[in-house]
Amino acid sequence: MLKKIIALCLVIVMAALCLTACGGKTLTVESVQKAGKLTIGTSPDFPPFESLNNEGKVEGIEIEILELICKELGVTLEIKQMDFDSVLPGVQSGKFDVGVSGISVTPAREKNTLFTTPYCLAAQAIVVTTGSPIASKADLTGKTVSVQTGTTAEEFCMGNGYTVKAFAANADAQSALTVGKVDAWVIDDLTAAEMVAVYNEEHPDAPLVILDEAMTTEPYAFAFKKGGDDLVNKINEILNKLLADGTIAGIFEKYNAPYTAP
Ligand code: ARG
């Protein structure tokens, strides 16, 4: 009898552990409203979408969109910071509710991630130093490029057979180019524009150059764990409204970022 009770207790403890550790809870509008907050995982090294301001707070286009979504849901926004390559694994293991990191929707990612409706289109840009012989994508053949680890830029450059140096932090991928460790830096276009503008202001004598030829077209969306359809459907409703009434385009404008609708 005692053995049976102990065995039963063990089963219950294991089940409870698994629920927390595996993030076994399915997200619903109700579960989020009950918790009173929506927790996002983000890599705030990606202006104008998410970056740290002077007070060390995360700000940007995606944070503003998420604030509006939280307002509609009647919950507060909680932000967890991490490297980009931890965002999608964290979504899948249930460490937080949403991946918010300028995440491009790809067929491979859709296999184990539930994406919201896309809210904009982006592209991969090629950045080089002044005087570089690289003038187009074709010139990258046989060259070494820097990218951020776990990004579509990394996947794309490896797929094209370039020699790839990957860095956990975006700023390090940029430095690899400026110190001459790589021939080019491949990064999403709007972030390239912002980071290059900041760099060039400080280095007017040796500015970085963004090539005209973009390499891809990628929709950005917010990432959820599979099974969270109830919540994602509600968020899609909110997003569609913000897209239709021009709110999202307006947020891009506030950040001086050209907006391309999905
Ligand atoms: N859009 C690219 C991707 O999904 C890069 C995103 C990088 N985001 C960031 N917050 N550093 O792979």
Side-chain angles (χ1 to χ4, degrees), residues 1-10:
M1 183 62 180
L2 189 63
K3 264 193 195 157
K4 268 195 186 153
I5 293 177
I6 293 177
L8 189 67
C9 288
L10 267 179

Side-chain angles (χ1 to χ4, degrees), residues 26-59:
T26 304
L27 275 181
T28 60
V29 174
E30 201 189 334
S31 74
V32 167
Q33 287 177 336
K34 225 168 148 190
K37 62 179 183 188
L38 189 69
T39 309
I40 68 168
T42 190
S43 171
D45 59 353
F46 202 66
F49 296 94
E50 48 264 328
S51 59
L52 294 175
N53 66 17
N54 292 336
E55 285 121 53
K57 273 185 65 187
V58 187
E59 64 174 24

Side-chain angles (χ1 to χ4, degrees), residues 59-178:
E59 64 174 24
I61 292 172
E62 290 195 324
I63 305 303
E64 298 216 7
I65 297 175
L66 262 293
E67 293 278 10
L68 292 174
I69 291 173
C70 283
K71 201 169 141 208
E72 282 289 315
L73 292 172
V75 299
T76 55
L77 179 67
E78 188 175 294
I79 302 178
K80 290 192 177 165
Q81 298 177 34
M82 63 206 66
D83 286 338
F84 180 73
D85 62 343
S86 297
V87 175
L88 285 170
V91 168
Q92 281 134 23
S93 65
K95 281 211 180 97
F96 42 83
D97 304 327
V98 202
V100 175
S101 249
I103 303 174
S104 305
V105 181
T106 68
R109 287 173 176 173
E110 277 181 312
K111 282 198 188 124
N112 41 24
T113 312
L114 178 63
F115 283 104
T116 60
T117 195
Y119 69 89
C120 78
L121 279 187
Q124 296 298 324
I126 304 164
V127 186
V128 296
T129 47
T130 305
S132 165
I134 299 169
S136 71
K137 188 169 133 185
D139 296 335
L140 284 179
T141 308
K143 297 284 193 271
T144 303
V145 301
S146 62
V147 296
Q148 184 173 34
T149 313
T151 58
T152 43
E154 181 182 44
E155 194 190 316
F156 180 85
C157 291
M158 303 228 297
N160 273 276
Y162 313 144
T163 305
V164 175
K165 284 201 161 82
F167 298 86
N170 238 339
D172 294 336
Q174 181 183 28
S175 303
L177 173 66
T178 55

